[in-house]
Amino acid sequence: MDHIAFLAKDAEGVRARIQKNKVEMHYRSFPDAEPPLFQIFLKDPDQVTIELNFLGERIDPNAWKGKGSASAMTLKKSGGKKTAIETQN
């Protein structure tokens, strides 16, 4: 299994719990989507990716930079049909 996704609420509260437990996470934001979407990604102990989707939440990813173990992911179009993900700390 590659990953499992959940619909979640309260991105700030979830982030605080993730950081309290010192778990590495990545996130990305789609503020212009309708509805807006903010996502957090982390790994479970078996290295399966957990995707948390916060529909309707607009979070400024720049406000999260440098806070705990987190980094933003930005989708970048590549030459082919695939999309690359660039990680930014």
Side-chain angles (χ1 to χ4, degrees):
M1 174 183 333
D2 176 64
H3 79 283
I4 186 167
F6 296 96
L7 186 57
K9 292 182 180 179
D10 185 22
E12 293 286 348
V14 170
R15 174 184 143 202
R17 288 191 301 276
I18 292 169
Q19 288 179 323
K20 179 181 175 183
N21 289 290
K22 297 178 175 48
V23 174
E24 182 179 345
M25 68 177 154
H26 304 281
Y27 52 87
R28 66 182 175 192
S29 180
F30 299 94
D32 297 330
E34 195 53 48
L37 174 63
F38 187 78
Q39 298 177 305
I40 295 175
F41 300 88
L42 55 137
K43 298 275 187 177
D44 78 359
D46 294 319
Q47 298 304 301
V48 175
T49 299
I50 298 170
E51 174 184 321
L52 302 174
N53 293 295
F54 300 87
L55 281 176
E57 292 193 42
R58 281 191 174 91
I59 304 290
D60 179 6
N62 292 320
W64 283 26
K65 281 188 176 180
K67 295 187 178 185
S69 182
S71 60
M73 295 190 300
T74 306
L75 295 176
K76 297 275 186 177
K77 294 283 184 179
S78 63
K81 293 183 179 180
K82 295 182 180 177
T83 303
I85 297 179
E86 178 181 284
T87 302
Q88 303 166 341
N89 289 326

